[in-house]
Amino acid sequence: MPTEPLADGAPQASLPRWLTDDEQRAWRAYIQLAQLLMRQLDRDLHPFGLSMHDYEILVELSEAAQQRLRMTDLADRTAQSRSRLSHQVSRLESRGLVAREGCEGDKRGTFAVLTELGAAVIGQVAPHHVASVRRHFIDQLAADGLGALTGACEPALDRLRQARERD
Amino acid sequence: MPTEPLADGAPQASLPRWLTDDEQRAWRAYIQLAQLLMRQLDRDLHPFGLSMHDYEILVELSEAAQQRLRMTDLADRTAQSRSRLSHQVSRLESRGLVAREGCEGDKRGTFAVLTELGAAVIGQVAPHHVASVRRHFIDQLAADGLGALTGACEPALDRLRQARERD
């Protein structure tokens, strides 16, 4: 982003606090790495017919009690909008990896449930995906990088999640 | 992702090195924050009719010599696939923010050029976008978070970029 404001002569209510060089560098390293990583992990999942978003949905279900989650909870956990998640779950459903079930005595929504086939696919794909995460990310971090990264990201993550819940 | 391999009885060529709890925590904090941030920044750009990807394209052009970049270089800098970038540039072109120009005496490709209108739009939007990046990310970092983040991300970013160039 520009580091200098445009001199357009118009008074501004509050001057923008432009990013310093160090802030700019950290921000760009962070977000560009995330974008490249998502693309690379997507590419590595491609031979299995899954995208990163598909994979995340299957993993969240595989770790949930009875391998099922309310759609709204699944949207929160995968950082997806509800409409996009619904579309993705439909695609996974058509492949037999996920099933949708109504929620007896609870009108608040539908559950997504991992099928046996879905569980088998996750079991098959996970070792390859973990190797990919290691190769492109974890194994590139210096010895003190793990803790530094967690410490830097978790407060911002918690805050953004809370903001979403208030949406 | 599962932290235990499925016991399916089949021998494996090489045992997966599953992520440790600390690695898992760092990886999830990193990637989930990135996904939520992208969505939040997108939402904050929405009143201006731009997505994060649109904004990144305009910024890269605004910082380039003569505010122009070869399409292939623009794809590299914005971490986009060439087909997706081409589609996005077409949309920006139809709104008069970017123009495409052939490259005289050079058959290697087309240039994308920021128009006057595109420059004016970036000038108008940048203060709001920077405020958004500050609010949701930079100002959430602890004092030592900036350097830690840059130090953690840049080596992996450099490596992924080099890998792409060999594609």
Side-chain angles (χ1 to χ4, degrees), chain A residues 1-3 6 12 16-20 22-41 43 52-53 55-56 59-60 62-63 75-82 119-120 122-124 126-131 133-142 145-157 159-161 163-164 167, chain B residues 1-3 6 12 16-20 22-41 43 52-53 55-56 59-60 62-63 75-82 119-120 122-124 126-131 133-142 145-157 159-161 163-164 167:
Chain A
M1 56 209 76
T3 49
L6 287 203
Q12 287 183 291
R17 288 167 55 218
W18 300 105
L19 299 188
T20 66
D22 283 349
E23 288 170 342
Q24 180 100 268
R25 190 172 159 193
W27 166 240
R28 289 202 169 180
Y30 176 83
I31 203 70
Q32 290 183 354
L33 175 59
Q35 292 171 340
L36 276 183
L37 267 174
M38 286 293 284
R39 280 193 57 201
Q40 181 65 52
L41 297 180
R43 205 176 299 149
M52 261 294 275
H53 292 306
Y55 185 84
E56 285 168 348
V59 166
E60 288 295 339
S62 78
E63 293 179 350
D76 285 344
R77 292 184 192 209
T78 55
Q80 297 291 304
S81 69
R82 292 180 192 182
I122 269 289
Q124 183 202 357
H128 299 274
H129 179 68
V130 169
V133 169
R134 278 211 173 279
R135 186 166 60 250
H136 300 299
F137 186 69
I138 293 288
D139 291 351
Q140 306 301 318
L141 298 176
L146 267 191
L149 208 63
T150 308
C153 295
E154 282 190 347
L157 182 59
R159 197 172 168 280
L160 265 179
R161 281 198 174 129
R164 291 183 77 214
D167 268 357
Chain B
M1 58 210 71
T3 49
L6 288 202
Q12 287 182 291
R17 288 167 54 219
W18 300 103
L19 299 187
T20 66
D22 284 348
E23 288 169 342
Q24 180 100 270
R25 191 173 157 193
W27 165 240
R28 290 202 168 179
Y30 176 83
I31 203 70
Q32 291 183 353
L33 175 59
Q35 291 171 338
L36 276 183
L37 267 174
M38 287 292 284
R39 280 192 58 201
Q40 181 65 52
L41 297 179
R43 205 176 297 149
M52 261 295 275
H53 291 307
Y55 185 84
E56 285 168 348
V59 165
E60 288 295 340
S62 77
E63 293 180 350
D76 285 345
R77 292 184 192 209
T78 55
Q80 297 291 302
S81 70
R82 292 182 192 179
I122 269 289
Q124 184 202 357
H128 299 274
H129 179 68
V130 169
V133 169
R134 275 210 176 283
R135 186 166 60 250
H136 300 299
F137 186 70
I138 294 288
D139 292 351
Q140 306 302 318
L141 298 176
L146 267 191
L149 207 63
T150 308
C153 295
E154 281 190 345
L157 181 59
R159 196 171 170 280
L160 265 179
R161 281 198 174 127
R164 292 182 77 212
D167 268 357

Side-chain angles (χ1 to χ4, degrees), chain B residues 88-106:
Chain B
Q88 286 178 305
V89 166
S90 295
R91 288 201 314 120
L92 293 171
E93 201 177 11
S94 71
R95 294 170 58 191
L97 305 179
V98 170
R100 266 187 241 240
E101 289 180 9
C103 178
E104 269 180 52
D106 180 347

Side-chain angles (χ1 to χ4, degrees), chain A residues 44-91:
Chain A
D44 292 348
L45 284 170
H46 197 251
F48 301 99
L50 296 177
S51 71
M52 261 294 275
H53 292 306
D54 294 333
Y55 185 84
E56 285 168 348
I57 290 169
L58 297 180
V59 166
E60 288 295 339
L61 292 177
S62 78
E63 293 179 350
Q66 297 177 295
Q67 307 205 313
R68 67 175 53 210
L69 283 170
R70 204 184 294 275
M71 288 291 284
T72 51
D73 293 335
L74 188 55
D76 285 344
R77 292 184 192 209
T78 55
Q80 297 291 304
S81 69
R82 292 180 192 182
S83 59
R84 182 165 178 180
L85 177 71
S86 179
H87 178 70
Q88 287 179 305
V89 166
S90 295
R91 287 201 313 120

Side-chain angles (χ1 to χ4, degrees), chain A residues 83-132:
Chain A
S83 59
R84 182 165 178 180
L85 177 71
S86 179
H87 178 70
Q88 287 179 305
V89 166
S90 295
R91 287 201 313 120
L92 293 170
E93 201 177 10
S94 71
R95 294 169 58 191
L97 305 179
V98 170
R100 266 187 241 238
E101 289 180 8
C103 178
E104 268 178 55
D106 179 349
K107 292 184 178 164
R108 282 180 302 161
T110 313
F111 279 85
V113 189
L114 190 68
T115 64
E116 269 188 46
L117 180 60
V121 165
I122 269 289
Q124 183 202 357
V125 176
H128 299 274
H129 179 68
V130 169
S132 172

